[in-house]
Amino acid sequence: MATPFHRFGFAVLRHSNRIQRRRKHNIGLFTHRSLHSSPFYRALVEDDDDDDEGPRKVTNEPYTFNYESLSSEARHHYDLLSPEEKVEFRKDDQAAYEHFNSPALESELQGLVSQAVYDINQEAPRDRAPPEKIVPGLMAMGEVDEQGSGEDDEFDGDDITSTAHGELEQHREIRDYARIAAWEMPMLSKLAKPFELPSQDKPLRFRYTTYMGETHPAAKKVVLEFCTRDLPNLTEAQRIKLVKLVGVRYNPDADLVKMSCEMFETQAQNKRYLGDLVDTLMAEAKDPTDMFEDVPLDFRHHKPKPKFEFPEKWKLTEHRKAQLEANWRQQALREREREETGTLIDGTKVVEQVLEAMSTQAPAKPAMPPPSGARSRQKQLQR
């Protein structure tokens, strides 16, 4: 803050371009201050007119008028003056030169500048304490504290348990997803595109796995599938060589090659690795140096799954449907004949008859258990 006044005071001492540039005088009134990001003086640039080249010294050289030292504007005004006015101009310039180079004025100006710097340093606080960092509390964690609630109060043992905090955090996450589903996901319909089948020039199919924002080690995994017959510019011999190269990753039933990668941290890196691997396999398959003709195809790794087919006899044909309807009609006729002749057994009536027979019979007395103990044995002996 004192630097502008310091520079301004010494700028007054410079009268014209003839006077030598001088360095700012270090008065020594700057007291120690704490670490700050701003220096005492601003950085000097090449075109700085106030840049100093050395300490200021009062010159005792005699005055000489130099027309070349004047600026272009001063020369223009000087040329417009009359001879008498030019003489008066040189006299005023000589008086100003002698006045600004006098030792008394030099010491007086330095004293004024030093006093101004001292007053400013006394008024400004020397050690400014950094502002206290307000730690957001639990209710404002991860959000902008617009109300300025600040840090939580000191813990007094009345807080909820860690399990309750976990439930609260889960409730916040559910509400966050609910807000996304209510306000952001409807806008995704504007970006929806109709599904189009992949063209013939895109035989590779990549599959990704996402866990909806959660960190999972399988989230970086990428799976690649492609059909060997869909690869362009491959002859049958080259295709067979490619099948031999991929080995156990080939499914002969579906003519499908399946590979995966999870070596890298991101899905893009794993996808790029799989793409480069397919390019390498294509280049090796097209290499006519060795076509692996002496190596047979080995599909022992593939265990075919049994495919169960619905029996032809169980299928409902028109003839079978007519036959079933005829059987149902004959069965309905037989039941109607039994009902008319009374030979049809009604289960409800049979149950009611049994219940009536049980209610009419007298209840039998329960048999008394034989007595036990010493007295019972005496009674048996008396009998």
Side-chain angles (χ1 to χ4, degrees):
M1 188 174 182
T3 303
F5 288 91
H6 195 273
R7 298 175 63 84
F8 174 73
F10 281 105
V12 178
L13 301 178
R14 301 181 183 88
H15 168 60
S16 63
N17 295 332
R18 300 188 308 272
I19 302 177
Q20 184 182 5
R21 293 184 176 182
R22 297 166 178 85
R23 186 181 301 277
K24 294 186 285 291
H25 183 66
N26 188 8
I27 304 175
L29 295 177
F30 294 97
T31 57
H32 176 71
R33 67 172 186 174
S34 58
L35 181 62
H36 291 277
S37 61
S38 60
F40 280 102
Y41 299 100
R42 67 182 178 88
L44 300 178
V45 294
E46 297 180 357
D47 56 348
D48 193 356
D49 294 335
D50 295 335
D51 190 14
D52 300 322
E53 299 176 354
R56 187 183 190 280
K57 296 181 181 179
V58 178
T59 178
N60 295 325
E61 297 178 359
Y63 170 76
T64 55
F65 178 76
N66 188 2
Y67 179 78
E68 300 297 333
S69 64
L70 298 178
S71 62
S72 59
E73 184 178 359
R75 293 176 190 174
H76 177 70
H77 289 290
Y78 183 79
D79 295 337
L80 297 177
L81 297 177
S82 61
E84 293 81 5
E85 292 176 346
K86 291 181 180 179
V87 174
E88 188 68 23
F89 176 82
R90 287 194 293 270
K91 289 182 180 180
D92 295 339
D93 189 48
Q94 182 179 2
Y97 176 79
E98 294 174 354
H99 173 72
F100 279 104
N101 283 279
S102 60
L105 180 63
E106 176 74 15
S107 61
E108 182 180 358
L109 290 176
Q110 288 185 359
L112 292 175
V113 173
S114 300
Q115 185 65 31
V117 173
Y118 178 78
D119 295 340
I120 293 172
N121 287 334
Q122 292 296 327
E123 294 176 0
R126 299 188 180 184
D127 296 329
R128 297 182 179 180
E132 297 182 358
K133 184 178 180 181
I134 300 177
V135 181
L138 177 64
M139 303 305 297
M141 187 176 298
E143 300 179 0
V144 180
D145 191 4
E146 298 179 352
Q147 299 179 357
S149 58
E151 192 174 358
D152 294 341
D153 298 334
E154 187 176 356
F155 177 67
D156 294 332
D158 56 350
D159 195 5
I160 59 179
T161 61
S162 58
T163 305
H165 276 293
E167 294 290 339
L168 185 61
E169 184 65 25
Q170 184 179 6
H171 180 71
R172 288 177 181 151
E173 186 175 0
I174 293 174
R175 293 189 63 182
D176 186 18
Y177 281 117
R179 286 192 292 269
I180 293 175
W183 301 105
E184 297 183 13
M185 293 185 67
M187 294 187 293
L188 296 178
S189 60
K190 301 178 181 178
L191 305 177
K193 297 181 180 179
F195 175 75
E196 297 180 358
L197 292 175
S199 57
Q200 293 294 334
D201 57 345
K202 297 179 181 179
L204 305 181
R205 295 185 295 274
F206 294 92
R207 188 182 68 198
Y208 311 94
T209 305
T210 178
Y211 292 87
M212 300 300 293
E214 295 184 5
T215 303
H216 196 277
K220 59 183 179 181
K221 183 178 180 180
V222 180
V223 181
L224 169 63
E225 294 181 355
F226 63 90
C227 183
T228 58
R229 300 184 186 277
D230 294 340
L231 296 177
N233 303 326
L234 276 184
T235 62
E236 184 64 20
Q238 294 173 352
R239 189 188 70 84
I240 295 176
K241 182 180 178 181
L242 178 64
V243 170
K244 296 177 181 179
L245 289 174
V246 296
V248 297
R249 298 173 180 83
Y250 179 71
N251 184 0
D253 290 345
D255 189 26
L256 196 67
V257 178
K258 183 177 180 180
M259 298 183 295
S260 64
C261 179
E262 51 183 342
M263 295 189 301
F264 304 99
E265 294 296 330
T266 60
Q267 292 181 348
Q269 292 175 320
N270 293 320
K271 180 180 179 181
R272 180 62 180 271
Y273 173 79
L274 291 174
D276 295 342
L277 185 59
V278 172
D279 294 340
T280 305
L281 290 172
M282 292 280 291
E284 290 293 334
K286 294 179 180 180
D287 186 9
T289 305
D290 188 2
M291 298 300 292
F292 297 165
E293 296 177 352
D294 55 337
V295 179
L297 292 172
D298 188 4
F299 298 144
R300 289 177 296 176
H301 62 277
H302 179 67
K303 305 298 181 183
K305 297 181 180 180
K307 296 181 180 180
F308 300 99
E309 297 182 357
F310 198 79
E312 293 291 336
K313 297 181 179 180
W314 293 3
K315 294 181 180 180
L316 290 178
T317 60
E318 295 296 333
H319 176 69
R320 181 60 178 171
K321 290 180 181 179
Q323 185 179 2
L324 290 175
E325 290 179 358
N327 294 337
W328 293 337
R329 285 194 297 268
Q330 293 177 4
Q331 185 177 1
L333 290 174
R334 288 194 297 265
E335 290 182 357
R336 191 177 302 111
E337 292 176 356
R338 290 178 183 179
E339 186 177 359
E340 293 176 354
T341 57
T343 58
L344 183 62
I345 300 174
D346 192 354
T348 305
K349 293 181 180 181
V350 173
V351 173
E352 291 178 354
Q353 293 175 1
V354 173
L355 293 176
E356 291 179 359
M358 292 176 61
S359 61
T360 55
Q361 293 179 0
K365 294 182 180 181
M368 296 297 293
S372 61
R375 292 184 180 182
S376 62
R377 286 194 294 271
Q378 291 179 0
K379 291 180 179 180
Q380 292 178 0
L381 292 175
Q382 291 176 2
R383 293 178 181 175

